[in-house]
Amino acid sequence: MKVHLTLLCATAGGAAFGDGRLSERGLREAVSAGAALRPYSLTLRAPSFPCAQMADALGMEATLEPALRDFDYGEWRGRTVGEVAATDPYRLSAWLTDPDSAPHGGESVRHLCRRTANWLSSLPPDTGRALAITEPAVVRALLVLALSAPARAFWHLDVPPLSAVSFTPRGDRWNVRLDRITLNDRAGSGPLERRGPALVT
């Protein structure tokens, strides 16, 4: 048995940093997605309320894993991007362009990448099939690691809600699979597809 880790992205509604909850549509889609997911030997979730909501909607008993937490947004937590851009555009620009910058007093992109990389490397080799319900930022950080991309690539990865990204070890590297989750449309228009993350150019 080896590690086969699937990251499932939960994205809250609203544009505030580190705030919000899943929309009604997001909850309905999570319920539908639960029927499409295969069984897992281990299910984990980030500490946020949206990730707890998603685990409940999927009908899964998920163990809280602090290492999967979202960015520490520092003094920006609860504020919208628009609010920060209007009052402090230069510090926001620095955070979005310099992976070592943390102008909000919280966490830099590089720190997040290191934190999540340390967590991934700590998984026991006999973990088996594991599911981790987590934040878009965590998915981006682990993709940066698996793709051996520079930390500056972080903001060029788009991670939609219900993206499913699978990681399996190959020697001292990780293989990545971008999965699709087919959702049953309860309005009667047929199946919907959620595709995994894509590079934004």
Side-chain angles (χ1 to χ4, degrees), residues 23-98:
S23 66
E24 288 300 317
R25 177 178 178 177
L27 285 171
R28 289 195 303 270
E29 291 182 345
V31 170
S32 178
L37 293 173
R38 297 168 59 186
Y40 294 91
S41 56
L42 175 66
T43 303
L44 306 169
R45 70 167 178 86
S48 70
F49 186 62
C51 289
Q53 280 186 297
M54 178 162 282
D56 288 343
L58 292 170
M60 294 182 171
E61 292 281 341
T63 301
L64 189 149
E65 174 49 70
L68 295 174
R69 66 189 181 277
D70 199 1
F71 265 118
D72 175 358
Y73 292 104
E75 65 186 59
W76 292 351
R77 184 172 183 83
R79 299 175 65 189
T80 66
V81 175
E83 289 170 349
V84 175
T87 59
D88 209 348
Y90 298 108
R91 291 203 300 166
L92 178 61
S93 177
W95 187 56
L96 295 175
T97 56
D98 180 359

Side-chain angles (χ1 to χ4, degrees), residues 6-11 136 139-140 143 147 156-167 176-183 192-200:
T6 298
L7 300 177
L8 187 62
C9 179
T11 304
V139 180
R140 285 181 176 135
L143 282 170
L147 298 173
H156 294 281
L157 294 165
D158 182 29
V159 185
L162 287 177
S163 297
V165 186
S166 296
F167 293 78
V176 178
R177 177 184 172 88
L178 308 182
D179 293 325
R180 296 180 298 178
I181 297 178
T182 300
L183 307 176
L192 305 172
E193 283 189 350
R194 285 283 191 184
R195 295 181 181 270
L199 288 174
V200 178

Side-chain angles (χ1 to χ4, degrees), residues 119-192:
W119 171 78
L120 186 61
S121 66
S122 73
L123 288 177
D126 60 348
T127 295
R129 292 181 53 80
L131 177 72
I133 302 165
T134 189
E135 316 286 348
V138 171
V139 180
R140 285 181 176 135
L142 289 175
L143 282 170
V144 166
L145 169 70
L147 298 173
S148 299
R152 290 182 182 276
F154 179 89
W155 294 113
H156 294 281
L157 294 165
D158 182 29
V159 185
L162 287 177
S163 297
V165 186
S166 296
F167 293 78
T168 52
R170 184 175 182 181
D172 60 352
R173 299 183 181 182
W174 291 89
N175 280 356
V176 178
R177 177 184 172 88
L178 308 182
D179 293 325
R180 296 180 298 178
I181 297 178
T182 300
L183 307 176
N184 293 320
D185 180 5
R186 298 196 176 191
S189 59
L192 305 172

